[in-house]
Amino acid sequence: MSRLGVFPIPGEFKSEDRWFRYFNRKQALVLVVSGIIDYRVLMGASAKGMLVPALIVMIFLTLLVMGIVMIRLPVDAMFLAGGGITIDELIFRIFYRMIHGEIYVKNYDGRDGEEL
């Protein structure tokens, strides 16, 4: 297992409690929230007589969101970009680095190493 760069993490550091035997806590929460949103949208669409198109769109969006939360990146192909993490964690990392990106350059502010 260490050949692939994956090392077992002790159980107390992960939130991998399995709910319904298939989902962890984050995936179950996303499924419940998307189910509530689906219900609200379908009730609004049925009042306007557009139940079938809304049902198709909401099934697609729920599958998309659950896929983003459940699919893990391959370890061997993307080990520098974060292999083994889910797609939502990768998207969060990309946005976080875009917002908080800083480049540190030695002596950029004009000091010549007197505070080193």
Side-chain angles (χ1 to χ4, degrees), residues 33-47 51 54 58:
V33 169
S34 66
I36 291 170
I37 292 171
D38 290 348
Y39 176 75
R40 302 286 293 192
V41 169
L42 291 177
M43 288 299 113
S46 67
L51 182 63
M58 294 316 290

Side-chain angles (χ1 to χ4, degrees), residues 55-76:
L55 182 66
I56 292 170
V57 169
M58 294 316 290
I59 287 173
F60 174 73
L61 289 177
T62 302
L63 288 175
L64 180 71
V65 169
M66 286 305 293
I68 288 173
V69 174
M70 292 182 81
I71 296 175
R72 295 193 173 276
L73 298 174
V75 175
D76 53 351

Side-chain angles (χ1 to χ4, degrees), residues 15-35:
S15 67
E16 290 294 324
D17 300 332
R18 292 287 171 183
W19 293 58
F20 308 117
R21 192 175 176 193
Y22 300 108
F23 306 116
N24 63 16
R25 189 178 308 148
K26 179 175 66 171
Q27 294 164 354
L29 179 69
V30 168
L31 182 63
V32 168
V33 169
S34 66

Side-chain angles (χ1 to χ4, degrees), residues 21 31 45-46 49 51-52 62 87 89 95 102 105-106 110 115:
R21 192 175 176 193
L31 182 63
S46 67
L51 182 63
V52 175
T62 302
I87 296 174
E89 293 170 350
F95 283 131
E102 297 176 359
V105 178
K106 184 176 179 181
E115 294 184 16

Side-chain angles (χ1 to χ4, degrees), residues 1 3-6 72-85:
M1 186 179 258
R3 290 181 303 138
L4 299 175
V6 178
R72 295 193 173 276
L73 298 174
V75 175
D76 53 351
M78 300 187 69
F79 66 97
L80 290 177
I85 62 172

